[in-house]
Amino acid sequence: MSKAHPLVTVGVPIFQGEKFLKESLTSICRQSYPNLEIIVIDDNSTDNSFYLCKKMHNKFKNFKLISNKNNLGAWDNFKKILQKSKGEYFCWACQDDFFDEKFIEKQVDVFLNNKDIIATLPSYDLINYDKKIIST
């Protein structure tokens, strides 16, 4: 593990997320930060979520994909991701989150330059189904 670039795990629990999944996972996978582990666990979706995840998995080397044989429910799916995480830092991402390409890089920079900080809450925009910003 590099001191300059400690491993960051991004945990993405998935269930019935096909509407925004491709765009969301693309924004996570295209981060500028060089030492990233992305763990995606599909909780037995019945839509095309797992298929979309599998296509992304084949494109990106740091993408780990797991499909639950049975639906565990949100809490147990979240715990499973945490148990598989190897990162020094951890970031949750929802199946409908879109990240700026420098999102992880900026968060890690905060931690590396401020030893007293243990968590970050970045700014965000809420966007409706028409992709219009409804709150900042």
Side-chain angles (χ1 to χ4, degrees), residues 32-90:
S32 61
Y33 189 76
N35 197 12
L36 203 59
E37 168 189 59
I38 301 164
I39 300 175
V40 176
I41 301 183
D42 179 74
D43 200 16
N44 201 262
S45 295
T46 57
D47 65 0
N48 287 320
S49 292
F50 184 73
Y51 171 75
L52 293 170
C53 291
K54 197 169 183 175
K55 285 176 70 175
M56 296 300 291
H57 174 258
N58 293 334
K59 287 182 176 180
F60 296 95
K61 64 178 170 75
N62 57 348
F63 191 110
K64 296 177 183 176
L65 176 60
I66 299 168
S67 178
N68 292 332
K69 289 185 171 106
N70 299 304
N71 183 281
L72 301 179
W75 179 248
D76 286 334
N77 199 37
F78 278 59
K79 286 193 311 188
K80 188 172 180 179
I81 289 173
L82 280 174
Q83 290 167 348
K84 300 209 172 281
S85 170
K86 293 185 172 115
E88 184 174 338
Y89 297 107
F90 187 90

